[in-house]
Each structure stands twice: as C-alpha cells, then as structure tokens.
Amino acid sequence: MKLTTSFNRSLWVFHFNSGSCNGCDIEIVASLTPRYDPERFGVKLVGSPRHADVLLVTGPVTNQMVDRLQRIYAQMPEPKIVMVVGTCAQSGGVFSTSYNLAGPVDQIISVDVYVPGCAPRPEAIIQGVVTAIAKFERLHGSAKQ
Amino acid sequence: MTKKAPYIVPIGPIHPALKEPVHIELTVVGEEVISAEFTPGQTHRGIEWMGLSRNPVQIIHLTDRICGICGVTHSLAFARAVEQIADIAVPERADYIRTIIAEFERIQSHLLWAGVAAHELGFDTLFYLTWRVREEVMDVIECITGNRVSYDIIQIGGVRRDIAEVCTEQIRKCLDNYKGLFGKLKELFLEDTVINSRCKGIGILSFEDAMAYSTVGPTARASGCIADLRVDYPYAAYGDLNLKPIVPTVYGHDVNGDTYDRIVVRIFEIAQSIEIIEECLTNLPTGPILWEEKVAKILAACKKTEGEAVGRHEAPRGECLHYVAMDKADAPIAWKVKASSYSNLHVWPLILKGAQLADIPIIVASIDPCISCTDRVAVTDVGAGKTKIFTKEELTKMSYEKTRRMQK
Ligand code: SF4
C-alpha cells in the first residue's frame, strides 16, 4: 500500500464509548502502548472530535448515547471515517436483546470499517486503522479527479 | 456578584473508560471544590433483565461482558451462586485454576490502574512503562484462556480450559520477571518525589467514612479497614492459602487514607498476587476440571433446582456480589449484580470536597480508573450565566502544570 499524501503520519483517532463493556476500550489503549506503538506512524488518540480523522466507536449504543454519538459525528471535519470495534458495536452481540439499545452503530451513523472480535486483538484494531488509511487514500484520489 | 461566587462544573457523561459512566457535578469556588454530586447510568444495557430469559450457561457469557477489565470476576461470582443453589461441587483443580486466573486478573487490573494514575499526574513515561509490563501478563492470560480480555474460562461447576504444560512454563517465567521488576515499580511509584507531593494528603477518606459508606477493596483497605473477602470468607483455593489483607502499614507508615495510600495498597497487592499464583501452581491438584463435561447435563441440573444464593468474589476493585434465585426453570427468576465500583463511587462527593481542580483527575482515578469522567468539563459562572467548556486536555494540562510547579 502506498502512503497517502494528505494523511501519512497524521491519522488522528477519536474514541467514543457508546456503552461498551470496556473490553474493547482497554484493547484500544493497549494497542497504543510501546509493544505496538502506532504513534511512530502518526496514529494517535485525540481528546476532541474536532481534531479527529477517524471516529472509533465501541459498544452497542444505549438510548442515552444516541444523541451524543450523532453530535460527536457531526462535529468531526470532513473527510471522516467511522470505524467500529467489537462485535457488540456491529450487531449488539451478547447485548442484542436488551431493551435499552438504539444501535448497533451502523443504524445511527454510517460506518466505513468494521473490526470484529469480542474483544479484537490490538493487531486487529491496528489493521482496521490501516484499512481506514486505504479508504482515505481512495477518497483523496477521487477528490482529485 | 462577589468574586467568590461558586461555579458549577459538570463532568462527563461521555465516559470512554468504565462500566459505570457517570456525570459528576462539582461546585467550585476558584480552584477549590466545595461540593460534588454524581449521576451514573449512561451505559445501562439491562444485563440483569436479559439474563432472566437465558439459561445459566448462556448467562456466564453475559457476565463476562459486564466489565471488560474484570472478565473473570462476575462470571466467578455468578457461577458460585448457581453452584450453591444446584449443589454442584467444583473439583479442586478447577478451584485452583479459578484462583490463578483471578489473581492474574488482579495483576493486570492493578497495572492498568497504576498506568492510568501515572498518566493523570502527567508522568507518561511511567504510564507507558507499566502498560508495557502489563503486556506480559496479558500474554499469560491469553495462553491460559485463549483470549486477552473476556476470557470466558469459567463454567458452572468448574473451568472450561485446563492449564497446559506450555502455560505453566510461561507463567513461571512471567512471575520471575515480575518479581525482579517489583522493586523497580515500588521505587517508581512510591519513592518518586512528584508522586509523593501530588498524592500525599490528597483525597483523604477517613476510616470512619470508609466504613460508613461501605467502601470495598483497595479503597477501603487504604483507609485502614482490614477487610478482604479472600481472607474473611475464603472460597475457591483461597482457604488453603495463608493470606493477610494488605493495608498501607505494609509500607511501614501510618494509615492516612489518601491517594498515596491507595497506590501503596495496589502496588503491594500485585506482589501478593504473584505469591498466591506461585503457591497455587506448586500445589495444583490433579483431577477433572469440570463437575460435568456435558453442557446439557449442567443445564438439566440447574433446571431441577430451586432456591436462592449469593455468590461473592474479591475483585481487583473490591467485593463483587451476585444474587441469584432459581425456580425449576431454565432461566433464573431473579438476578442482581452489585459490582465493586458501585460501593466505591459514593465516596467521590466526600473526597473531592476541598480538593483543587487540578487534583480532580488523580482523586477520581484513585478509587477506580475512572479517568475519562474528565472528558469534558463545563464551568458555568452562575452569576453571569457564562459557560466555559474545558476539554479533557485542558484539565489534564492543569494537572501537568501543577506537577511542574511542585517540581520547582
Ligand atoms: S465487543 Fe465484546 S469486549 Fe468489546 S465492548 Fe462489546 S462486549 Fe465488550
């Protein structure tokens, strides 16, 4: 894969927990630590959606979080990519029969990259980010034409 | 409007780190917090309700996903409740494996917390160091259970997987490594001048308050309550071990109940867990790991019983309690979960009172790694009706600046 011109070394990720069990959230932090160290490629977590290129969502989206998810999504600058991490964010997983779910995530905002697993390994999450970079590259390519 | 008019500071509720996201509202005068209130409940998934339409073996998978950090805690407490109702005897070997996994989880969870605490103080080098060290125990957990989080190793009447020969070797190697590292961890966390000056005398929870608010786990022990389920009501293999609850006096100083004491307790509990695992591994009995291998038979046994029971487990954050009632049906007729943090969160208003804004991240984290409460903070000037939004970074920056000031 060749690197994009606009996003190489600077893919910033905003992490949003929409009611997950935490398992995926710990793995996301674990994938930032020295063993994997994606920061050497410029991939890092940021504290504000306004700085982010990728919205990383975990959890099955509880009713209380729907509005917040939509607002955060709206706050991100274009072009943006939504990546969901974990089975419960994709389908509800073990929580699918709950009365308090508005999700899964793709019912609420459009999703570009899915990382399945409960919880996925850090390698899988990083693979997801790489897929997101590839998508940005395509977006960038079509924008040029 | 006087200069000293109080501000209301709502924190949260976007809260990416914990099972119990909360919304905290602080009233502050200048830098000082004069009162604090909180409302939990944003990630309510109705787990107990879902459980009432599933059978106990299915619920085990659900319990593993109540909290990702305490993967084994809830399933163990739940399994123990069901086993008591259905009169299922867990084989000895399974009890020992349960203990080993539970202790690995404690190491993993305390290291995770220690890293987060260091991060909150602006000591990121230490954060990365502890998380790198933590990867080793994650490898061992993966080797034993097959997954890094959500282990799913507990089954009603035993455990799903045996500890294989390769794992034993890896476990021993990991433990030896940790023993070598412990001195360094202790030095870094307990002797560092910055940590000392930022944590001592901050967020004090007195013994009386700790008792009155029914705190559990390291939070209670740091305030001098000598309470540990593993010692008081032994279960699994804990009865065979000679354990003592860890209180801050292990480090040779008086109990203050401050943030520093909570670090002391957790760091020493890591050492204690290492010893427990070693002992369990040496005395690991042979024999079956399950009361009954066929899931259908386990379910049949559960279906025949009626009664109620409480299953408890000393989680990394304190006592976790599951109440289960069965009445000759597939699914339980009642299931109530009380996670350990639930008991501890109530002291926030108490220990945040009188604290400085810059100390909030570390005080909030000192109970439980609930750092991301500080995700976004809005300071409302009540008199003028102006609102200023603080991002998590700004709050963290304030914390860092305080560290720098103290270094001078
Ligand atoms: S996918 Fe699994 S591990 Fe991840 S948040 Fe959902 S339940 Fe937890």
Side-chain angles (χ1 to χ4, degrees), chain A residues 97, chain B residues 46-56 59 62 330-332 335:
Chain A
T97 54
Chain B
I47 287 186
E48 291 157 347
W49 179 84
M50 279 188 274
L52 298 187
S53 55
R54 299 185 190 186
N55 68 44
I59 294 179
L62 199 53
D330 278 330
W335 176 30

PDB file of all heavy atoms in Angstrom, chain A residues 97, chain B residues 46-56 59 62 330-332 335:
ATOM      1  N   THR A  97     -30.435  -8.374  22.726  1.00  0.00           N
ATOM      2  CA  THR A  97     -31.853  -8.417  23.108  1.00  0.00           C
ATOM      3  C   THR A  97     -32.225  -7.350  24.135  1.00  0.00           C
ATOM      4  O   THR A  97     -33.342  -7.333  24.615  1.00  0.00           O
ATOM      5  CB  THR A  97     -32.215  -9.797  23.682  1.00  0.00           C
ATOM      6  OG1 THR A  97     -31.310 -10.100  24.745  1.00  0.00           O
ATOM      7  CG2 THR A  97     -32.135 -10.876  22.627  1.00  0.00           C
TER       8      THR A  97
ATOM      9  N   GLY B  46     -29.197  -3.145  30.587  1.00  0.00           N
ATOM     10  CA  GLY B  46     -30.246  -4.067  31.001  1.00  0.00           C
ATOM     11  C   GLY B  46     -29.778  -5.506  31.069  1.00  0.00           C
ATOM     12  O   GLY B  46     -30.496  -6.425  30.683  1.00  0.00           O
ATOM     13  N   ILE B  47     -28.552  -5.704  31.567  1.00  0.00           N
ATOM     14  CA  ILE B  47     -27.974  -7.040  31.567  1.00  0.00           C
ATOM     15  C   ILE B  47     -28.765  -8.012  32.437  1.00  0.00           C
ATOM     16  O   ILE B  47     -29.046  -9.145  32.032  1.00  0.00           O
ATOM     17  CB  ILE B  47     -26.503  -6.967  32.016  1.00  0.00           C
ATOM     18  CG1 ILE B  47     -25.690  -6.345  30.884  1.00  0.00           C
ATOM     19  CG2 ILE B  47     -25.971  -8.340  32.393  1.00  0.00           C
ATOM     20  CD1 ILE B  47     -24.234  -6.314  31.091  1.00  0.00           C
ATOM     21  N   GLU B  48     -29.170  -7.551  33.622  1.00  0.00           N
ATOM     22  CA  GLU B  48     -29.902  -8.460  34.514  1.00  0.00           C
ATOM     23  C   GLU B  48     -31.215  -8.893  33.877  1.00  0.00           C
ATOM     24  O   GLU B  48     -31.626 -10.039  33.977  1.00  0.00           O
ATOM     25  CB  GLU B  48     -30.164  -7.764  35.852  1.00  0.00           C
ATOM     26  CG  GLU B  48     -28.888  -7.568  36.638  1.00  0.00           C
ATOM     27  CD  GLU B  48     -29.004  -6.445  37.638  1.00  0.00           C
ATOM     28  OE1 GLU B  48     -29.964  -5.679  37.564  1.00  0.00           O
ATOM     29  OE2 GLU B  48     -28.112  -6.338  38.488  1.00  0.00           O
ATOM     30  N   TRP B  49     -31.865  -7.956  33.232  1.00  0.00           N
ATOM     31  CA  TRP B  49     -33.135  -8.267  32.576  1.00  0.00           C
ATOM     32  C   TRP B  49     -32.934  -9.283  31.459  1.00  0.00           C
ATOM     33  O   TRP B  49     -33.708 -10.228  31.306  1.00  0.00           O
ATOM     34  CB  TRP B  49     -33.740  -6.959  32.041  1.00  0.00           C
ATOM     35  CG  TRP B  49     -35.027  -7.139  31.324  1.00  0.00           C
ATOM     36  CD1 TRP B  49     -36.267  -7.219  31.884  1.00  0.00           C
ATOM     37  CD2 TRP B  49     -35.207  -7.269  29.916  1.00  0.00           C
ATOM     38  NE1 TRP B  49     -37.218  -7.393  30.903  1.00  0.00           N
ATOM     39  CE2 TRP B  49     -36.589  -7.422  29.694  1.00  0.00           C
ATOM     40  CE3 TRP B  49     -34.348  -7.277  28.825  1.00  0.00           C
ATOM     41  CZ2 TRP B  49     -37.131  -7.571  28.420  1.00  0.00           C
ATOM     42  CZ3 TRP B  49     -34.881  -7.424  27.555  1.00  0.00           C
ATOM     43  CH2 TRP B  49     -36.262  -7.575  27.371  1.00  0.00           C
ATOM     44  N   MET B  50     -31.873  -9.095  30.669  1.00  0.00           N
ATOM     45  CA  MET B  50     -31.597 -10.045  29.588  1.00  0.00           C
ATOM     46  C   MET B  50     -31.329 -11.433  30.163  1.00  0.00           C
ATOM     47  O   MET B  50     -31.696 -12.444  29.586  1.00  0.00           O
ATOM     48  CB  MET B  50     -30.365  -9.596  28.799  1.00  0.00           C
ATOM     49  CG  MET B  50     -30.649  -8.543  27.787  1.00  0.00           C
ATOM     50  SD  MET B  50     -29.201  -8.280  26.786  1.00  0.00           S
ATOM     51  CE  MET B  50     -28.320  -7.105  27.762  1.00  0.00           C
ATOM     52  N   GLY B  51     -30.682 -11.450  31.333  1.00  0.00           N
ATOM     53  CA  GLY B  51     -30.333 -12.720  31.969  1.00  0.00           C
ATOM     54  C   GLY B  51     -31.558 -13.539  32.315  1.00  0.00           C
ATOM     55  O   GLY B  51     -31.513 -14.766  32.323  1.00  0.00           O
ATOM     56  N   LEU B  52     -32.656 -12.859  32.587  1.00  0.00           N
ATOM     57  CA  LEU B  52     -33.848 -13.586  33.013  1.00  0.00           C
ATOM     58  C   LEU B  52     -34.494 -14.377  31.875  1.00  0.00           C
ATOM     59  O   LEU B  52     -35.447 -15.108  32.087  1.00  0.00           O
ATOM     60  CB  LEU B  52     -34.873 -12.621  33.626  1.00  0.00           C
ATOM     61  CG  LEU B  52     -34.378 -11.892  34.869  1.00  0.00           C
ATOM     62  CD1 LEU B  52     -35.497 -11.097  35.495  1.00  0.00           C
ATOM     63  CD2 LEU B  52     -33.792 -12.861  35.886  1.00  0.00           C
ATOM     64  N   SER B  53     -33.999 -14.206  30.651  1.00  0.00           N
ATOM     65  CA  SER B  53     -34.529 -15.038  29.569  1.00  0.00           C
ATOM     66  C   SER B  53     -33.437 -15.952  29.003  1.00  0.00           C
ATOM     67  O   SER B  53     -33.547 -16.437  27.895  1.00  0.00           O
ATOM     68  CB  SER B  53     -35.128 -14.156  28.473  1.00  0.00           C
ATOM     69  OG  SER B  53     -34.159 -13.231  28.053  1.00  0.00           O
ATOM     70  N   ARG B  54     -32.356 -16.133  29.761  1.00  0.00           N
ATOM     71  CA  ARG B  54     -31.292 -17.030  29.293  1.00  0.00           C
ATOM     72  C   ARG B  54     -30.992 -18.067  30.363  1.00  0.00           C
ATOM     73  O   ARG B  54     -31.269 -17.839  31.538  1.00  0.00           O
ATOM     74  CB  ARG B  54     -30.021 -16.221  28.995  1.00  0.00           C
ATOM     75  CG  ARG B  54     -30.267 -15.203  27.922  1.00  0.00           C
ATOM     76  CD  ARG B  54     -29.002 -14.478  27.522  1.00  0.00           C
ATOM     77  NE  ARG B  54     -29.376 -13.359  26.651  1.00  0.00           N
ATOM     78  CZ  ARG B  54     -28.500 -12.578  26.031  1.00  0.00           C
ATOM     79  NH1 ARG B  54     -27.214 -12.790  26.182  1.00  0.00           N
ATOM     80  NH2 ARG B  54     -28.914 -11.597  25.264  1.00  0.00           N
ATOM     81  N   ASN B  55     -30.374 -19.164  29.948  1.00  0.00           N
ATOM     82  CA  ASN B  55     -30.038 -20.170  30.946  1.00  0.00           C
ATOM     83  C   ASN B  55     -28.658 -19.881  31.534  1.00  0.00           C
ATOM     84  O   ASN B  55     -27.880 -19.113  30.969  1.00  0.00           O
ATOM     85  CB  ASN B  55     -30.161 -21.589  30.367  1.00  0.00           C
ATOM     86  CG  ASN B  55     -29.113 -21.860  29.308  1.00  0.00           C
ATOM     87  OD1 ASN B  55     -27.948 -21.521  29.482  1.00  0.00           O
ATOM     88  ND2 ASN B  55     -29.527 -22.460  28.206  1.00  0.00           N
ATOM     89  N   PRO B  56     -28.341 -20.489  32.695  1.00  0.00           N
ATOM     90  CA  PRO B  56     -27.112 -20.124  33.397  1.00  0.00           C
ATOM     91  C   PRO B  56     -25.843 -20.211  32.552  1.00  0.00           C
ATOM     92  O   PRO B  56     -24.943 -19.379  32.711  1.00  0.00           O
ATOM     93  CB  PRO B  56     -27.067 -21.124  34.558  1.00  0.00           C
ATOM     94  CG  PRO B  56     -28.481 -21.453  34.825  1.00  0.00           C
ATOM     95  CD  PRO B  56     -29.166 -21.415  33.498  1.00  0.00           C
ATOM     96  N   ILE B  59     -25.745 -17.232  30.486  1.00  0.00           N
ATOM     97  CA  ILE B  59     -25.519 -16.031  31.296  1.00  0.00           C
ATOM     98  C   ILE B  59     -24.036 -15.856  31.602  1.00  0.00           C
ATOM     99  O   ILE B  59     -23.534 -14.737  31.672  1.00  0.00           O
ATOM    100  CB  ILE B  59     -26.354 -16.086  32.594  1.00  0.00           C
ATOM    101  CG1 ILE B  59     -27.838 -16.015  32.247  1.00  0.00           C
ATOM    102  CG2 ILE B  59     -25.995 -14.934  33.514  1.00  0.00           C
ATOM    103  CD1 ILE B  59     -28.740 -16.091  33.438  1.00  0.00           C
ATOM    104  N   LEU B  62     -22.582 -13.681  29.310  1.00  0.00           N
ATOM    105  CA  LEU B  62     -23.052 -12.313  29.516  1.00  0.00           C
ATOM    106  C   LEU B  62     -22.285 -11.670  30.676  1.00  0.00           C
ATOM    107  O   LEU B  62     -21.871 -10.519  30.596  1.00  0.00           O
ATOM    108  CB  LEU B  62     -24.549 -12.382  29.816  1.00  0.00           C
ATOM    109  CG  LEU B  62     -25.389 -11.136  29.636  1.00  0.00           C
ATOM    110  CD1 LEU B  62     -25.174 -10.567  28.255  1.00  0.00           C
ATOM    111  CD2 LEU B  62     -26.849 -11.479  29.840  1.00  0.00           C
ATOM    112  N   ASP B 330     -35.538 -22.906  33.212  1.00  0.00           N
ATOM    113  CA  ASP B 330     -34.270 -22.720  32.513  1.00  0.00           C
ATOM    114  C   ASP B 330     -33.540 -21.488  33.022  1.00  0.00           C
ATOM    115  O   ASP B 330     -32.368 -21.526  33.349  1.00  0.00           O
ATOM    116  CB  ASP B 330     -34.515 -22.557  31.011  1.00  0.00           C
ATOM    117  CG  ASP B 330     -34.687 -23.893  30.334  1.00  0.00           C
ATOM    118  OD1 ASP B 330     -34.066 -24.860  30.841  1.00  0.00           O
ATOM    119  OD2 ASP B 330     -35.426 -23.974  29.348  1.00  0.00           O
ATOM    120  N   ALA B 331     -34.281 -20.390  33.062  1.00  0.00           N
ATOM    121  CA  ALA B 331     -33.661 -19.122  33.433  1.00  0.00           C
ATOM    122  C   ALA B 331     -33.888 -18.835  34.906  1.00  0.00           C
ATOM    123  O   ALA B 331     -34.868 -19.302  35.486  1.00  0.00           O
ATOM    124  CB  ALA B 331     -34.265 -18.019  32.587  1.00  0.00           C
ATOM    125  N   PRO B 332     -32.981 -18.089  35.517  1.00  0.00           N
ATOM    126  CA  PRO B 332     -33.223 -17.697  36.903  1.00  0.00           C
ATOM    127  C   PRO B 332     -34.429 -16.767  36.989  1.00  0.00           C
ATOM    128  O   PRO B 332     -34.765 -16.090  36.019  1.00  0.00           O
ATOM    129  CB  PRO B 332     -31.933 -16.964  37.301  1.00  0.00           C
ATOM    130  CG  PRO B 332     -31.171 -16.730  36.067  1.00  0.00           C
ATOM    131  CD  PRO B 332     -31.699 -17.618  35.007  1.00  0.00           C
ATOM    132  N   TRP B 335     -32.017 -12.022  39.381  1.00  0.00           N
ATOM    133  CA  TRP B 335     -30.562 -11.924  39.294  1.00  0.00           C
ATOM    134  C   TRP B 335     -30.190 -10.487  39.572  1.00  0.00           C
ATOM    135  O   TRP B 335     -30.714  -9.574  38.956  1.00  0.00           O
ATOM    136  CB  TRP B 335     -30.095 -12.352  37.893  1.00  0.00           C
ATOM    137  CG  TRP B 335     -28.620 -12.208  37.667  1.00  0.00           C
ATOM    138  CD1 TRP B 335     -27.629 -12.305  38.609  1.00  0.00           C
ATOM    139  CD2 TRP B 335     -27.965 -11.946  36.423  1.00  0.00           C
ATOM    140  NE1 TRP B 335     -26.401 -12.133  38.026  1.00  0.00           N
ATOM    141  CE2 TRP B 335     -26.575 -11.901  36.687  1.00  0.00           C
ATOM    142  CE3 TRP B 335     -28.404 -11.747  35.124  1.00  0.00           C
ATOM    143  CZ2 TRP B 335     -25.628 -11.661  35.699  1.00  0.00           C
ATOM    144  CZ3 TRP B 335     -27.466 -11.503  34.131  1.00  0.00           C
ATOM    145  CH2 TRP B 335     -26.092 -11.473  34.414  1.00  0.00           C
TER     146      TRP B 335
END
